[in-house]
Amino acid sequence: MTQKLLLAAAALLALPLAACENKPIVQGAEDPLKEAADKAPKVELPPAIKATVTMRCKDNSLVYIEFFAGDKLANLRTEKDGTPIRLTAEKAGDPLIADGYSLKGTPQLVTLAQPGKPAQSCKA
């Protein structure tokens, strides 16, 4: 009796699979934006954040810097919740610059020049 019950249960479990048709999947209509997407310029994702640091500068001020992977981008804030100033460089190792700001260094020690102020060292 147990064997008959098991065979009946197995047949019931296999029934939904038997109802499936093995037809190949047919792709729908072609994407109407495919041609435009192929012609669009390639998009480069922004680099990942490498380090976020708070630094004390020689004049006793604080700056907040996000360093990004690739060493060609950093966000500088002169106030904790201030608007970030995006500093960029053409190639890794060059000073990061924007609108009178210049930053060169590592997440441990930088030389920072700001508009109206002489260049100074800042450390984490």
Side-chain angles (χ1 to χ4, degrees):
M1 171 109 166
T2 307
Q3 275 186 334
K4 287 183 183 180
L5 186 59
L6 286 174
L7 286 173
L12 283 175
L13 289 174
L15 185 62
L17 294 175
C20 293
E21 295 182 31
N22 289 330
K23 291 183 178 179
I25 297 173
V26 178
Q27 293 190 357
E30 190 165 319
D31 183 3
L33 300 176
K34 182 179 183 331
E35 187 177 322
D38 290 342
K39 291 180 182 177
K42 298 298 177 198
V43 176
E44 185 178 330
L45 294 174
I49 294 175
K50 182 168 82 172
T52 300
V53 294
T54 301
M55 300 185 128
R56 171 110 23 216
C57 296
K58 192 166 184 145
D59 69 357
N60 210 26
S61 64
L62 292 174
V63 291
Y64 309 89
I65 305 172
E66 292 174 326
F67 291 90
F68 290 85
D71 300 326
K72 296 190 292 185
L73 175 66
N75 284 335
L76 169 71
R77 289 181 176 86
T78 56
E79 297 175 8
K80 186 168 179 81
D81 295 322
T83 303
I85 300 157
R86 187 181 188 102
L87 306 171
T88 59
E90 286 294 319
K91 61 181 182 177
D94 286 352
L96 303 163
I97 56 172
D99 300 327
Y101 291 88
S102 176
L103 176 75
K104 186 162 178 71
T106 67
Q108 293 77 33
L109 179 67
V110 298
T111 300
L112 174 65
Q114 301 178 61
K117 293 184 179 180
Q120 61 182 330
S121 64
C122 305
K123 62 181 180 177

